Structure formats: structure tokens, C-alpha cells
Amino acid sequence: MSKQKEAVTELEKRKKGKFRWTRDDTELTLLGLPATIWFAVFAYLPMFGLIIAFKDFKLQTGKGFLASLFASDWAGFKNFTFFLSNNTFGVLLRNTLLYNLVFIVLNLVIPVTLAIVINQLFSKLASKCYQTLMFFPYFMSWVVVSYFVYAFLSPDGGLANLIIEAFGGEAVMWYSAPKFWPFILVLMSTWKGMGYNMVVYLASITGIDTSLYEAAILDGATKWQQARYITIPTIRPMIIMMFILNIGHIFYSDFGLFYQVTQHLPQPLNDVASTFDTYIFLALQTGNSKIGQTAAAGLFQSVCCCITVLITNFIVSKIDPDSAII
């Protein structure tokens, strides 16, 4: 009771403006200091570089990067105009948005379903084994995954072609056949990410009061009814939060998936696998675009993602205020 009184007294002092710095405040500040420094150095300080998107940046002889940046002429929104009027902009926008929409839906439905199913297992050993096996691909680099994919889809001696030829079919030149790659990319993204998302939802499910399930069983509820009326409504805030966070990356793409798995994005796959991220990387690598133009493309992505998150959160706050994250 004494601790509760102290907490109430401290709260009253804060409301009246009579705040006194305590030892707890010092400890919490020291705990939060490393994260604050990290964000300041690696997140906020680099934002100064956004100025490149509005400049015709040229590295001048005898001057460093900052001196060249300040000496470069202002380009205004010309860099953005070049990116938005690019012939490939429509393809890049279509691929980036459509792939991400499919990824968001699948990474919501499949992990939630798996989490509910695994939670129903009576054997804890089997549950842990399934979680480990599904979570393991998340830790694999796309570089490693790309080698496995190539071993399967290689035109010369690939496992897929060996199976096709064994059944009397003709070998497929997979890296020159764009019609297959939307399915391959979706499959690989789902396979690699579903374990992580499943564990997140499973953690939420394990926190549900078991008495709710016991009462439902006494009332004769089936497993499907328990999942529909207890599990899903209880973890709905987590589902909505993950949905909003995923929407925040809808203008970004997984570079490793679209560049490494496709074996550096060969020309035949450009129309089905090119995204904003691969465009920016290839533009920098080939030198066909100025650094200001690629910086404008990156800033365009960030602004669009920020707007998308705010709009999505606003809609959620109107429908279910308790589930909004802002």
C-alpha cells in the first residue's frame, strides 16, 4: 500500500508541475541514452543528405563531399521530374505495389493460420520443432537462398528440369521465362518470412487467458469456433498493428529477393521483377543516372510510405480507435 501511495503522490506532483528528478529517472535516461545516440547518428543525422535530391551534385576537383555538395547548383524538383517521367516508372510502380499487396495479404493469412494450428498441438516438442523449422529460413541471407534457387532452376542440370525431363517434358530456361517469376518470387518471399510472422502471432495467442477456451469447450464450441470467436478477436490489435507496419513499406521492396534470387535481374525479367529498389541500385551501378536523381527516387519512396502509413492509421482510428498505433 505504501508503494501505491508513493506512486499516487508522484503522479499528483507531476500534474501540479512539481516534478523532482529521481534516481529512477536517471537510470531510465541512462538506459535510453545508447538508443538515442544510435538514432541520432544513424537515423537523423543522415537526413541532411536529403539535400542531394534537390541539387545537381557534382564532385569537384580538390574539394571534399560536403564542400562539393554546397557548391553544387540547386536543381529544384528537376531530379524528381526525371524520375517520375521515366519510361519505366509505370512498370516500377506497378511491380512494387502489386507484389507488396500480395506479400501483405499472404504474410497475414498464412502466419495467423499456422499460429492457430500450432497452438492447438498437444505435444510441446512437436510445436517447438515446427516453430524452429519454419523460423529457420528467416535467418538465411538472400544470397544463400539464391544459390539454392539456382540449383533448382539452373538450365543445365537443375533439379526442376531433371524432373520435367524425367516425365517426358522439355527443359525450361527459367531465367528467360518471365511468366513463371511472379509465382516464384511470391513463393520465396512467403517461405522466408512466414516463420517470423507466425512466431509474432503465436506469442500473442499464448497470452490469451486459457479460461476462455475452457468455457468455450464446456459450451460445446469446436476448434474452428474457438479460433473464430476467441483467438482471432483477441489478437486483432496485433494483426492490425502488423498490417499498418507492413503498409509502411509498400513502396519499398526486398532488394535481395528481386535482385539476388533472379541472378542479378537479367534483361528478360525486367518487366516482371524490376522495382524501385532495383532501379535505384542499377542506376547507381551503371552510372546512367546522377546521384541527385537516385536520391530523389529514394526520397519519393520515403514520403509515399509516410503518407500511406498516416492514411492507413487514420482509417483504422476511425474504425477501431484502440488498434491505431498513432
Side-chain angles (χ1 to χ4, degrees):
M1 292 299 290
S2 60
K3 291 184 178 181
Q4 293 179 353
K5 290 181 180 180
E6 291 177 1
V8 172
T9 304
E10 186 66 26
L11 181 61
E12 291 177 351
K13 288 181 179 180
R14 289 174 183 268
K15 289 182 178 179
K16 294 178 181 179
K18 298 178 180 179
F19 172 69
R20 184 173 60 87
W21 190 269
T22 63
R23 181 178 178 181
D24 291 340
D25 295 317
T26 302
E27 292 176 352
L28 292 174
T29 301
L30 292 175
L31 285 173
L33 188 60
T36 304
I37 295 174
W38 188 93
F39 274 102
V41 174
F42 295 103
Y44 293 103
L45 188 60
M47 285 186 180
F48 173 77
L50 295 177
I51 195 175
I52 299 176
F54 302 95
K55 285 225 172 188
D56 184 13
F57 178 77
K58 294 179 180 177
L59 189 61
Q60 301 182 10
T61 306
K63 293 184 179 181
F65 173 78
L66 289 178
S68 299
L69 178 61
F70 287 114
S72 299
D73 297 329
W74 283 97
F77 290 96
K78 291 182 180 179
N79 292 328
F80 294 91
T81 304
F82 173 82
F83 173 65
L84 295 175
S85 60
N86 193 292
N87 294 331
T88 60
F89 177 78
V91 175
L92 298 175
L93 181 64
R94 179 200 66 189
N95 290 345
T96 303
L97 292 181
L98 290 182
Y99 276 120
N100 278 320
L101 287 174
V102 175
F103 294 160
I104 289 171
V105 173
L106 292 181
N107 287 329
L108 177 67
V109 176
I110 296 178
V112 170
T113 303
L114 290 174
I116 293 174
V117 171
I118 289 179
N119 186 61
Q120 299 294 331
L121 294 176
F122 292 102
S123 174
K124 296 299 181 182
L125 179 60
S127 176
K128 296 297 182 183
C129 289
Y130 293 142
Q131 291 180 50
T132 303
L133 291 174
M134 285 186 283
F135 198 33
F136 179 72
Y138 178 77
F139 293 102
M140 296 178 64
S141 167
W142 278 119
V143 177
V144 177
V145 174
S146 67
Y147 281 104
F148 285 107
V149 175
Y150 184 77
F152 191 79
L153 301 180
S154 174
D156 301 323
L159 182 60
N161 282 338
L162 291 178
I163 295 174
I164 292 174
E165 291 174 349
F167 284 94
E170 296 183 359
V172 178
M173 303 298 291
W174 297 98
Y175 293 96
S176 301
K179 63 180 180 180
F180 298 109
W181 280 93
F183 304 99
I184 296 173
L185 293 172
V186 170
L187 176 64
M188 296 309 301
S189 176
T190 305
W191 169 77
K192 193 172 186 296
M194 68 178 179
Y196 172 81
N197 294 310
M198 183 269 297
V199 169
V200 172
Y201 294 122
L202 186 61
S204 299
I205 292 175
T206 54
I208 299 175
D209 189 357
T210 56
S211 62
L212 296 175
Y213 292 104
E214 293 172 357
I217 293 173
L218 292 175
D219 290 337
T222 62
K223 294 293 185 183
W224 161 247
Q225 291 172 330
Q226 293 175 37
R228 180 181 178 183
Y229 296 107
I230 298 177
T231 307
I232 295 179
T234 305
I235 67 172
R236 185 178 62 181
M238 176 60 69
I239 294 175
I240 295 175
M241 184 188 73
M242 294 291 288
F243 173 76
I244 295 175
L245 294 177
N246 289 329
I247 284 291
H249 295 275
I250 197 169
F251 282 90
Y252 286 94
S253 61
D254 195 331
F255 176 79
L257 171 65
F258 290 94
Y259 186 76
Q260 295 291 347
V261 174
T262 59
Q263 294 299 313
H264 305 168
L265 199 62
Q267 183 64 31
L269 305 184
N270 272 340
D271 289 341
V272 297
S274 294
T275 61
F276 286 137
D277 297 86
T278 59
Y279 167 81
I280 295 172
F281 174 78
L282 292 174
L284 287 172
Q285 187 182 50
T286 58
N288 293 332
S289 300
K290 298 180 181 179
I291 188 173
Q293 295 167 350
T294 54
L299 181 57
F300 170 81
Q301 285 180 283
S302 300
V303 172
C304 289
C305 287
C306 181
I307 294 173
T308 307
V309 167
L310 293 176
I311 293 174
T312 306
N313 185 81
F314 176 77
I315 296 173
V316 171
S317 65
K318 295 299 181 182
I319 299 174
D320 187 4
D322 294 333
S323 299
I325 62 176
I326 302 176

